[in-house]
Amino acid sequence: MHHRSTWKNRWTFMLATAGSAIGLGNIWKLPYMIGVNGGSAFVLVFIACIFLVGIPLMMTEILLGRRAQKNPYDGMLKLAQEAQVSHYWKYLGGMGMLTGLLILGFYSVIGGWVLSYIIEAAKNSFSNITAAQSSANFDGLLASPVKLLFWHTVFMCMTMGVVARGVNSGLEKANNILIPALFAILLVLLGYSMSVGDMQTAYQFMFKLDFSKITPVAVLSALGHAFFSLSLGMGAVMVYGSYLQRHVSIARTTIYIALADTALGLLVGLAIYALVFANHLAPNAGPGLIFQTLPIAFGHMPWGSFTGTLFFMLVAFAAWTSAISLVEPAIAWITENTLIKRRTAAWAIGVVVWLLGVAVVLSFNEWKDIKIIFGLNIFETLDKLTSTILLPLGGLLMAVFAGYYMKRDHVQDELDLKATAFKLWRIANNIIAPIAIAAVFLYLFGVIK
Ligand code: PFF
């Protein structure tokens, strides 16, 4: 009989799930997406997506996991049998496992950028750096397949090293200290940005209400990013939920995690944009944004080398805990279905994802001009395919399953909500989320112009 581990208590589950949610999505991706998608228009839609779709669906995903007590594939199969519906629902779990690996393919490469910046900060390379030098440094990193490959490899080894050992050891303890530490150092950075940056313009850029600027593309990206940021739609939260004890309140835990995740991303955004505007940089610089702007801050502040090193270390840690959750569904499936040991499974999957990462590395230099679909290179294709299609699709199907196929008292049993709260969840899960996601898909496929 396979032994399933459980979290020690609610706090560790919360930190682990927050550890999965908080990662490069908040610190690297959200800030540049805000810039690329027109600032406040994107931010407002993103916040709406978190509250109307993200929070209810995170509850859904945890409840599915806790009820199933299995990896996403077998878990969906078990739930489908319980609800006496088609066994094809298991492929929803299968799709999630695959999505996680596709995301890790590029996530690990970006995690590598962060690792290399730890070293640069520690060497005091940012001292008195100008905006132009900082951009040139970053371009230099991207132009070097050898460096990128080296750091991608280190990041993959770090990830698989923990996965091989299992989620319960080590990681839980580290989470306890490092996530609060990340918040603390962010406040230092924010304080610095407030004193030297252009906070007023940054605030206007991010929060000024202007509905006319909202475009369909901004909505599409914001919805996709709400899924990415909360780790939803691929079974990561489901697996973590499957290790959760019965008495813990799903709703309360979800709200804390979502609020922490969103607040962190927006605070990083403010800190970055105050620097962007003060240094006359372009807000729409794309994926390099934080790597071009933050060195300027660290290069000029007192204790900058120390603060910068610590900052990038904490970001690397946040990325690490998210990366682990990206592989956990696939590993849980292998270990619960075969005699393959956790360690062997971890390294085997590691090699496959590493190879995918090699292609991503090359798409920043040698293979830059190789376009896969719609003029997107390998990195962009993986990013768009997972964030704007696979995660929302996974979320949509989970919502439909929990809302329309599962027995209502089973759902209620897991959520354990008061009547009004349960009704609200049902409206969000059964109506708002599916319609919002379906509308975005229809737009994407050109049905709604
Ligand atoms: N939520 C993570 C981040 O914001 O960096 C990324 C992620 C982790 C997405 C795990 C999906 C997932 F299942």
Side-chain angles (χ1 to χ4, degrees):
M1 175 71 195
H2 181 84
H3 170 74
R4 286 185 66 80
S5 39
T6 55
W7 303 108
K8 273 197 218 74
N9 52 42
R10 155 164 167 222
W11 184 235
T12 46
F13 165 76
M14 201 155 98
L15 278 171
T17 311
S20 164
I22 295 174
L24 295 172
N26 311 67
I27 299 154
W28 158 73
K29 200 169 176 199
L30 180 68
Y32 88 74
M33 299 260 294
I34 294 175
V36 171
N37 291 294
S40 57
F42 177 87
V43 174
L44 292 174
V45 182
F46 174 69
I47 295 176
C49 289
I50 292 279
F51 280 91
L52 293 175
V53 180
I55 292 180
L57 290 199
M58 189 174 225
M59 291 170 59
T60 307
E61 200 169 327
I62 300 176
L63 91 82
L64 292 176
R66 189 165 70 182
R67 176 123 207 126
Q69 291 287 306
K70 280 180 188 294
N71 67 76
Y73 181 90
D74 296 294
M76 283 313 298
L77 180 60
K78 179 172 160 188
L79 295 176
Q81 283 163 348
E82 192 180 65
Q84 294 172 334
V85 294
S86 162
H87 65 94
Y88 285 131
W89 282 101
K90 64 189 178 205
Y91 294 120
L92 169 57
M95 179 177 90
M97 293 171 350
L98 207 70
T99 308
L101 303 183
L102 292 178
I103 295 179
L104 188 59
F106 70 85
Y107 206 84
S108 166
V109 175
I110 316 290
W113 298 358
V114 176
L115 294 177
S116 87
Y117 268 64
I118 299 177
I119 305 295
E120 293 305 318
K123 287 197 310 202
N124 204 12
S125 317
F126 305 145
S127 178
N128 289 320
I129 201 168
T130 61
Q133 284 165 338
S134 181
S135 297
N137 278 355
F138 179 69
D139 292 342
L141 175 67
L142 288 197
S144 164
V146 178
K147 276 194 203 155
L148 293 181
L149 211 57
F150 173 76
W151 289 113
H152 159 55
T153 310
V154 175
F155 191 86
M156 277 307 290
C157 290
M158 282 166 53
T159 304
M160 293 308 169
V162 174
V163 173
R165 250 172 256 160
V167 271
N168 269 4
S169 53
L171 190 64
E172 284 188 1
K173 282 178 219 117
N175 258 328
N176 276 321
I177 308 167
L178 295 170
I179 293 194
L182 182 62
F183 266 96
I185 194 146
L186 186 63
L187 292 181
V188 173
L189 193 65
L190 198 65
Y192 177 78
S193 282
M194 269 178 177
S195 67
V196 305
D198 187 350
M199 200 44 95
Q200 180 108 24
T201 315
Y203 187 81
Q204 295 268 328
F205 178 68
M206 281 179 59
F207 296 111
K208 188 164 180 247
L209 270 178
D210 181 359
F211 290 106
S212 69
K213 280 204 278 171
I214 297 178
T215 61
V217 176
V219 176
L220 182 67
S221 325
L223 181 75
H225 190 64
F227 277 90
F228 187 87
S229 190
L230 292 177
S231 303
L232 295 181
M234 56 142 279
V237 169
M238 199 171 185
V239 177
Y240 279 14
S242 78
Y243 302 134
L244 180 65
Q245 297 102 321
R246 296 219 52 88
H247 59 270
V248 175
S249 153
I250 292 180
R252 199 168 333 138
T253 321
T254 299
I255 290 172
Y256 289 149
I257 295 170
L259 289 183
D261 186 67
T262 311
L264 189 106
L266 294 176
L267 289 179
V268 181
L270 269 180
I272 303 267
Y273 281 107
L275 295 170
V276 165
F277 293 120
N279 288 286
H280 310 289
L281 298 170
N284 58 354
L289 185 70
I290 69 157
F291 297 95
Q292 290 160 351
T293 45
L294 288 178
I296 306 173
F298 296 130
H300 291 88
M301 65 165 74
W303 294 80
S305 172
F306 173 77
T307 319
T309 312
L310 197 61
F311 177 82
F312 284 113
M313 278 170 71
L314 290 169
V315 175
F317 177 78
W320 194 19
T321 51
S322 301
I324 289 161
S325 74
L326 285 165
V327 234
E328 191 54 29
I331 299 289
W333 178 73
I334 296 179
T335 52
E336 286 169 20
N337 279 289
T338 65
L339 290 174
I340 299 174
K341 290 224 168 59
R342 195 177 173 90
R343 183 174 311 178
T344 320
W347 292 112
I349 287 194
V351 170
V352 176
V353 177
W354 180 82
L355 283 171
L356 185 62
V358 173
V360 173
V361 160
L362 293 172
S363 74
F364 286 105
N365 36 66
E366 311 294 325
W367 292 356
K368 204 178 193 158
D369 298 321
I370 299 185
K371 309 289 184 205
I372 308 292
I373 36 165
F374 303 124
L376 304 171
N377 67 24
I378 298 172
F379 158 68
E380 291 159 346
T381 306
L382 279 176
D383 174 29
K384 293 276 180 303
L385 175 71
T386 51
S387 287
T388 44
I389 301 183
L390 294 174
L391 296 181
L393 181 62
L396 170 69
L397 294 173
M398 286 181 202
V400 168
F401 182 82
Y404 297 96
Y405 290 90
M406 260 174 99
K407 295 215 168 55
R408 203 171 150 150
D409 36 318
H410 289 170
V411 175
Q412 214 157 8
D413 214 29
E414 289 298 329
L415 288 181
D416 196 20
L417 289 172
K418 299 227 165 65
T420 324
F422 187 64
K423 223 179 241 155
L424 282 177
W425 172 81
R426 270 181 69 88
I427 294 173
N429 181 84
N430 295 19
I431 302 169
I432 301 179
I435 290 183
I437 302 170
V440 161
F441 280 153
L442 289 177
Y443 169 78
L444 194 65
F445 295 117
V447 180
I448 303 178
K449 284 278 179 216

